[in-house]
Amino acid sequence: MRRIAIISTMMLLALSCKKVFAPIAVSSPDSYLVIEGVINSGSDSTYFRLSRTVKLSAKDTVKFEDNAAVSIEGSDNTSYQLNETVNGVYATPALGLSPTAKYRLRVKTANNEEYLSDYVETKSTPPIDSITYTVENDGVQFYVTTHDPANATRYYRWDFEETWGYLAFEQSFYKIGTDGLPEYRTDPADKFYECFKTVPSQQVLLGNSLKLAQDVVDKQPLDFITAESGKISHGYSVLFHQYALTQDAYTYWQQLKKNTETIGSIFDAQPSEVASNIHCISDPSQAAIGYISASTVTAQRIFVDARSTVVVTPGYLPPPTPDDCTSPPVAGQIWINPEDTFLVRLQQLTYTGNTLLIAAITDRPTGKLIGYTYSSRECTDCLAKAPYGTNAVPAFWPAGYHY
């Protein structure tokens, strides 16, 4: 009882002494440069994304760094320029770099800040032997198996790009034709019941073989997808990339993982400074966030067939909710009779583009067309609902796997 009383007293004191905590890093007006990417020394393109940190209280989630001069420099006096392709993303075609040279990244921003990374050795990444998955805890757990016969890798990192299909609540079979009357949708590009969303991973996935005599990673756990997320309901494809790391790079990513994924309780490790190998040479007091590595990159794609995977997944994922899509005035019927006012009523219903026709209504005894059902665009157009993807079928999507 004495122990409970002491704990209760301490809790009351803590609650009565609350004050706003504003760490220097959070309240600082500085905006630090963030550099994400890997120098791909192999047969694929190299990409770097440049952005700026923002305050936790800021409305913007990403602040891209545009119009920078970005280049890769080799210890063998080679130099390669990267071009900005979209906001904050700089790229160059396959470089085929020398495995014996070292490389670094140079960035000069539009406001004349100049950053230079340390020279790093190029690593040769072994192929991925296999990507597999099992159904666990009402979800899908992915695993990777790989090995290096030369025993030269030891340190590994993975990231991935996931693509999943999702559906609108209703399927619109009819559109308004050039004559102002309903016509059946026949053009595949004019259909938007099924969409696809592609998102890069935000996880830090690491592994090593330091405790083994052979450089083997066997069934290392990677990503876990819950059934309730809806991502595997209508097909799920994931492309895993594998990177060989130096010991220093592995230490950086390991520390970053601890700081971002294992903080939240009193038992977790306290956050610590993550040492970057990027330096601001125009103003040494300015910090940069990121770590430059150079390696070949290997990859493997795997597809999860929701029709054959034994896991219960939702058939439809809000928003909007089914109630939002079935209740008037969002959903309803428009009748052809009286015919002399049908065209005007149809135009009034659909002229804004926010209401779409779904299906034809026929009189059961006669089979005569008597009207159409309708619903809001948000309920019938997968391009207009979260998570806002595309109706273009990915080239890697299995043939015939559509709804």
Side-chain angles (χ1 to χ4, degrees):
M1 292 297 292
R2 174 184 169 86
R3 183 179 180 185
I4 295 174
I6 293 173
I7 293 174
S8 300
T9 302
M10 292 176 64
M11 291 178 64
L12 288 172
L13 288 172
L15 290 172
S16 63
C17 299
K18 287 193 300 183
K19 61 184 293 187
V20 176
F21 173 59
I24 295 175
V26 174
S27 57
S28 171
D30 291 333
S31 182
Y32 299 112
L33 183 66
V34 180
I35 302 178
E36 301 171 88
V38 172
I39 298 174
N40 191 327
S41 60
S43 58
D44 206 347
S45 301
T46 291
Y47 297 91
F48 279 95
R49 188 174 80 157
L50 273 57
S51 59
R52 291 280 178 173
T53 59
V54 296
K55 293 183 179 181
L56 292 175
S57 58
K59 294 181 180 180
D60 297 330
T61 55
V62 179
K63 185 179 179 182
F64 298 110
E65 185 72 16
D66 296 320
N67 304 314
V70 181
S71 61
I72 295 169
E73 300 175 350
S75 60
D76 54 359
N77 294 321
T78 55
S79 181
Y80 308 90
Q81 191 71 33
L82 281 71
N83 298 311
E84 188 170 12
T85 55
V86 295
N87 288 350
V89 176
Y90 300 80
T92 181
L95 298 173
L97 301 179
S98 169
T100 59
K102 294 185 177 182
Y103 295 90
R104 65 185 181 184
L105 187 75
R106 184 184 294 272
V107 175
K108 189 172 184 179
T109 66
N111 63 350
N112 291 320
E113 291 180 355
E114 192 164 8
Y115 297 81
L116 190 64
S117 76
D118 298 333
Y119 276 115
V120 293
E121 65 175 292
T122 58
K123 298 284 291 184
S124 180
T125 304
I128 296 174
D129 293 332
S130 66
I131 297 290
T132 57
Y133 70 87
T134 59
V135 176
E136 302 174 13
N137 301 319
D138 200 27
V140 172
Q141 175 68 61
F142 292 93
Y143 298 91
V144 61
T145 296
T146 187
H147 76 286
D148 183 0
N151 290 334
T153 301
R154 295 297 182 180
Y155 300 98
Y156 297 84
R157 182 174 73 89
W158 298 272
D159 63 21
F160 60 90
E161 185 178 85
E162 56 180 347
T163 302
W164 68 91
Y166 66 94
L167 307 178
F169 183 78
E170 299 276 11
Q171 185 169 2
S172 173
F173 291 97
Y174 289 86
K175 66 178 182 179
I176 305 301
T178 56
D179 58 358
L181 291 172
E183 65 178 39
Y184 194 80
R185 297 183 186 273
T186 57
D187 186 353
D190 193 36
K191 296 181 179 180
F192 32 74
Y193 175 58
E194 178 186 33
C195 278
F196 304 89
K197 181 70 174 181
T198 299
V199 176
S201 63
Q202 301 297 323
Q203 301 177 45
V204 178
L205 303 172
L206 300 171
N208 68 71
S209 60
L210 297 177
K211 296 181 179 180
L212 303 176
Q214 300 297 316
D215 194 350
V216 176
V217 174
D218 184 37
K219 291 186 178 180
Q220 168 79 26
L222 294 177
D223 189 34
F224 178 77
I225 301 296
T226 63
E228 64 181 6
S229 70
K231 290 182 178 180
I232 56 178
S233 299
H234 307 293
Y236 179 83
S237 179
V238 57
L239 177 65
F240 285 98
H241 302 97
Q242 180 168 280
Y243 308 88
L245 299 178
T246 62
Q247 182 178 355
D248 288 343
Y250 184 84
T251 300
Y252 168 86
W253 286 105
Q254 191 176 48
Q255 192 61 56
L256 184 66
K257 182 179 180 69
K258 289 179 180 178
N259 283 357
T260 58
E261 297 180 12
T262 58
I263 293 178
S265 77
I266 60 174
F267 302 105
D268 289 326
Q270 294 300 303
S272 58
E273 183 178 356
V274 181
S276 171
N277 65 347
I278 309 167
H279 317 282
C280 183
I281 59 177
S282 59
D283 182 1
S285 66
Q286 285 291 322
I289 298 174
Y291 195 95
I292 303 303
S293 294
S295 71
T296 57
V297 182
T298 58
Q300 192 172 122
R301 182 179 291 279
I302 187 170
F303 184 79
V304 178
D305 186 344
R307 298 169 181 174
S308 60
T309 301
V310 185
V311 58
V312 179
T313 61
Y316 173 77
L317 195 67
T321 67
D323 288 342
D324 294 332
C325 295
T326 55
S327 304
V330 171
Q333 303 85 32
I334 180 170
W335 307 106
I336 293 178
N337 281 329
E339 293 187 22
D340 58 338
T341 64
F342 175 63
L343 195 59
V344 174
R345 288 184 286 114
L346 183 63
Q347 184 181 21
Q348 291 175 339
L349 178 69
T350 61
Y351 82 96
T352 64
N354 293 326
T355 301
L356 301 180
L357 300 180
I358 300 173
I361 305 173
T362 57
D363 180 63
R364 289 186 177 180
T366 64
K368 180 182 178 181
L369 177 67
I370 59 175
Y372 298 87
T373 57
Y374 65 83
S375 190
S376 69
R377 177 172 290 277
E378 189 179 21
C379 296
T380 56
D381 183 353
C382 58
L383 297 172
K385 67 159 277 168
Y388 308 111
T390 174
N391 61 346
V393 181
F396 52 79
W397 208 252
Y401 198 93
H402 302 298
Y403 289 80

